[in-house]
């Protein structure tokens, strides 16, 4: 219980360090979502494969880059806890990419169809 | 029945972890909504907190929420707040120095009076704190959080001000300040560029962050290796004790690693004197035998004791293993003073078996605040501390061990899947990126 509360606080404190960037990101995401929702006959389902692909690529890049960005390397992944933590971070990066790529994909497909 | 049996057959640690996982969604929801505040205890008590380090400010933040009407005063001249667990990262070139510098004013709770003066003396019989400026501050309850005295004066010829200057080439020490940590990194860079003879020291007194001397040794070896000068270098660790770390399994693990890394260790050799110009260190054995060692690089770890304000007061231990250092005489479970029940101690100043780290404060600040409020309310201090402390022991850049233990020296990993003696990426990431945010949450009195 305590450890979960501690982790939530760690995430909160890290977010505080980047709050202007996070606020801008949140606004950009809301604008993107609003634009995508307002489009008549938005193709959410057909935009999914591309968005999922972008998310997967982002997760893989995250997995490869995060250790170096934190002054470590993939060689330091010593046991499953290391792998699981890095995988979780990569999944988080993938999820963030998906959140942007999906509405962007809807807009892009609409643009292609309209064009 | 079958399910019950299978749950019961799990080992306790694993069961605890599964229960925590099951509770995660509930907790996440609870954190999203503001938790209902527990009713504050009404009191007009005067509470003085001596010291504005992690322990002092964490307890101040908690008491400000837990008490209604109390007059809380914090006494410390220091305006800069330093994230001391980050000093080893600064001293080894991993972090810039700015990451360990902050302002106390940003973390003190509203309504707390801040007396910007040093505590010079405690008069517990008269319930009074006396400052260096001569101010007498009366209290009903006292929290002592004034940390340790780095006793470099016990090393003849040592000049802390010379660290990082041309006057003392190769002289380093991570402990005194962010500036010293930064200067240590500059000296380490100069040394690793050429290689040579490195001497690492460890005194016989209780230490704050007892892992720091080990981290510095591991990292120096890593820096030499990366600079390509390891072959022309020698690292020698001189311990004034019979070991290099107080927890046996960790000690044995580190010694085994050092053997394979080529770091030599000698025991019961205390740094007694240093000629910073001639770069010669003098060590003495328990029999009084002296031996001089030349060095190109030396990491000096000072003997540590309680600051004079506690050491010379009636608050200090009068007998037993903590009397020599003048440490605060607290009950190791409740952290309440053994003779003055209106006095509590937190952090490095406590005369307790282990635990002079930020992690100790993380676990003991809630307990001290709770027990103090209980005593203010006329009840007994009822929460017990197990001596938890933690040391993310860096083994090279990018890898660390996450060692947690209690008063008895038992390994007590917070998460059961962590293998304390395995070094790897997760523990490094904790040290590099997560422990400072955790520290800030402790400072604000939230965890």
């Amino acid at each position: 219980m305590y450890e979960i509360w501690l982790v939530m606080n760690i995430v909160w404190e890290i977010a505080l360090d980047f709050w202007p960037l996070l606020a801008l990101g949140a606004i950009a995401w809301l604008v993107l979502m609003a634009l995508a929702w307002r489009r008549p006959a938005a193709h959410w389902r057909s935009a999914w494969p591309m968005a999922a692909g972008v998310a997967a690529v982002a997760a893989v890049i995250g997995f490869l880059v995060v250790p170096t960005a934190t002054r470590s390397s993939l060689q330091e992944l010593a046991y499953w806890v290391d792998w699981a933590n890095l995988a979780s971070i990569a999944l988080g990066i993938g999820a963030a990419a998906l959140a942007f790529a999906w509405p962007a994909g809807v807009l892009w497909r609409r643009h292609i169809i309209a064009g | 029945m079958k399910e019950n049996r299978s749950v019961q057959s799990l080992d306790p640690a694993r069961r605890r972890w599964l229960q925590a996982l099951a509770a995660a969604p509930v907790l996440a929801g609870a954190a999203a909504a503001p938790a209902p505040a527990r009713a504050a205890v009404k009191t007009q008590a005067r509470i003085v907190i001596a010291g504005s380090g992690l322990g002092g400010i964490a307890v101040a933040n908690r008491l400000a929420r837990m008490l209604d009407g109390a007059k809380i005063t914090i006494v410390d001249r220091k305006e800069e707040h330093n994230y001391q667990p980050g000093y080893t990262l600064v001293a080894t070139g991993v972090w810039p120095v700015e990451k360990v510098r902050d302002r106390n004013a940003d973390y003190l709770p509203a309504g707390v009076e801040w007396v910007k003066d040093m505590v010079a003396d405690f008069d517990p019989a008269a319930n009074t704190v006396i400052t260096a400026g001569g101010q007498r501050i009366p209290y009903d309850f006292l929290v002592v959080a004034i940390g340790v005295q780095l006793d470099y004066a016990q090393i003849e010829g040592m000049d802390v001000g010379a660290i990082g200057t041309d006057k003392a080439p190769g002289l380093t020490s991570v402990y005194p300040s962010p500036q010293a940590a930064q200067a240590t990194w500059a000296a380490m860079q100069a040394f690793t560029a050429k290689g040579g003879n490195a001497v690492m020291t460890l005194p016989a007194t209780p230490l704050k962050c007892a892992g720091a001397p080990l981290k510095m040794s591991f990292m120096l070896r890593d820096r030499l290796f990366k600079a390509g000068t390891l072959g022309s270098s020698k690292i020698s660790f001189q311990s004034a004790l019979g070991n290099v770390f107080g927890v046996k399994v960790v000690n044995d693990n580190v010694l085994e690693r050092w053997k394979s890394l080529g770091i030599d260790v000698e025991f019961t050799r205390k740094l007694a004197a240093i000629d910073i110009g001639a770069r010669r260190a003098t060590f003495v054995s328990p029999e009084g035998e002296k031996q001089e060692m030349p060095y190109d690089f030396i990491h000096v770890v000072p003997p540590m004791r309680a600051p004079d304000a506690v050491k010379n007061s009636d608050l200090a231990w009068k007998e037993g293993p903590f009397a020599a250092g003048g440490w605060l005489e607290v009950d190791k479970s409740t952290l309440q003073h053994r003779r003055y029940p209106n006095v509590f101690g937190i952090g490095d100043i406590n005369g307790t078996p282990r635990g002079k780290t930020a992690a100790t404060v993380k676990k003991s600040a809630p307990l001290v605040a709770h027990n103090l409020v209980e005593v203010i309310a006329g009840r007994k201090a009822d929460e017990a501390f197990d001596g938890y402390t933690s040391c993310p022991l860096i083994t090279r850049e990018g890898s660390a061990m996450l060692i947690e233990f209690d008063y008895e020296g038992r390994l007590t990993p917070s998460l059961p899947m962590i293998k304390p003696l395995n070094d790897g990426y997760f523990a490094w990431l904790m040290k590099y990126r997560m422990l400072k945010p955790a520290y800030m949450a402790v400072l604000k009195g939230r965890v």
Side-chain angles (χ1 to χ4, degrees), chain B residues 136-377:
Chain B
R136 296 179 68 84
I137 306 170
Y139 63 80
D140 299 309
F141 299 92
L142 172 68
V143 179
V144 183
I146 61 172
V148 301
Q149 175 77 40
L150 304 176
D151 205 357
Y152 285 101
Q154 282 193 37
I155 304 163
E156 188 188 331
M158 179 63 192
D159 181 357
V160 178
I163 294 170
T165 67
D166 293 340
K167 187 180 156 189
L171 176 68
T172 71
S173 185
V174 74
Y175 280 97
S177 63
Q179 295 83 352
Q182 196 176 26
T184 293
W185 170 231
M188 191 182 282
Q189 281 177 294
F191 170 69
T192 54
K194 289 187 287 188
N197 186 28
V199 176
M200 317 300 280
T201 72
L202 184 73
T205 63
L207 293 185
K208 72 168 161 183
C209 191
L214 314 186
K215 296 175 203 177
M216 293 301 294
S217 304
F218 274 119
M219 282 299 282
L220 178 64
R221 195 266 178 199
D222 190 48
R223 293 298 184 210
L224 284 165
F225 175 72
K226 284 179 177 156
T229 49
L230 184 62
S232 57
S233 303
K234 181 176 184 297
I235 304 175
S236 166
F237 192 93
Q238 305 290 313
S239 170
L241 299 160
N243 56 27
V244 296
F245 199 78
V247 178
K248 189 174 183 311
V249 285
V250 178
N251 178 69
D252 294 348
N253 183 286
V254 168
L255 291 179
E256 203 172 299
R257 286 171 187 273
W258 281 359
K259 194 173 177 184
S260 66
L261 293 173
I263 298 174
D264 296 334
V265 186
E266 290 187 71
F267 299 106
T268 61
R269 286 161 56 84
K270 185 176 87 170
L271 178 63
I274 185 167
D275 184 336
I276 58 176
R279 292 192 288 185
R280 299 188 74 80
T282 304
F283 292 87
V284 290
S285 69
E287 295 77 33
E289 187 186 332
K290 288 186 177 179
Q291 187 182 348
E292 275 200 357
M293 286 186 79
Y295 67 83
D296 300 299
F297 178 98
I298 187 168
H299 182 246
V300 177
V301 180
M304 298 183 199
R305 61 172 174 83
D308 288 339
V310 165
K311 192 170 191 282
N312 299 334
S313 79
D314 198 37
L315 291 176
W317 281 94
K318 302 301 171 200
E319 55 187 27
F322 306 112
W327 304 103
L328 189 71
E329 187 183 337
V330 290
D331 178 87
K332 70 175 189 177
S333 293
T334 61
L335 304 183
Q336 184 178 26
H337 198 278
R338 283 157 45 96
R339 287 175 285 116
Y340 295 98
N342 62 335
V343 178
F344 284 80
I346 185 157
D348 299 349
I349 186 63
N350 282 346
T352 48
R354 295 176 205 273
K356 298 195 186 303
T357 69
T360 305
V361 175
K362 177 182 75 141
K363 278 291 175 77
S364 59
L367 177 141
V368 166
H370 168 86
N371 281 349
L372 177 54
V373 170
E374 289 296 291
V375 172
I376 289 171

Side-chain angles (χ1 to χ4, degrees), chain A residues 7 10-11 14 18 54-74 77 80-98, chain B residues 424-434:
Chain A
V7 169
I10 289 172
V11 171
I14 291 173
F18 300 102
V54 170
V57 170
V60 170
I61 291 172
F63 193 90
L64 297 174
V65 167
V66 165
T68 313
T70 50
R71 301 190 69 146
S72 187
S73 73
L74 287 170
L77 299 174
W80 74 268
V81 170
D82 295 334
W83 289 93
N85 273 281
L86 183 55
S88 304
I89 295 167
L91 281 175
I93 292 169
L98 180 66
Chain B
Y425 176 64
F426 172 64
W428 167 262
L429 188 64
M430 290 281 290
K431 175 73 180 170
Y432 177 78
R433 194 65 191 88
M434 297 183 198

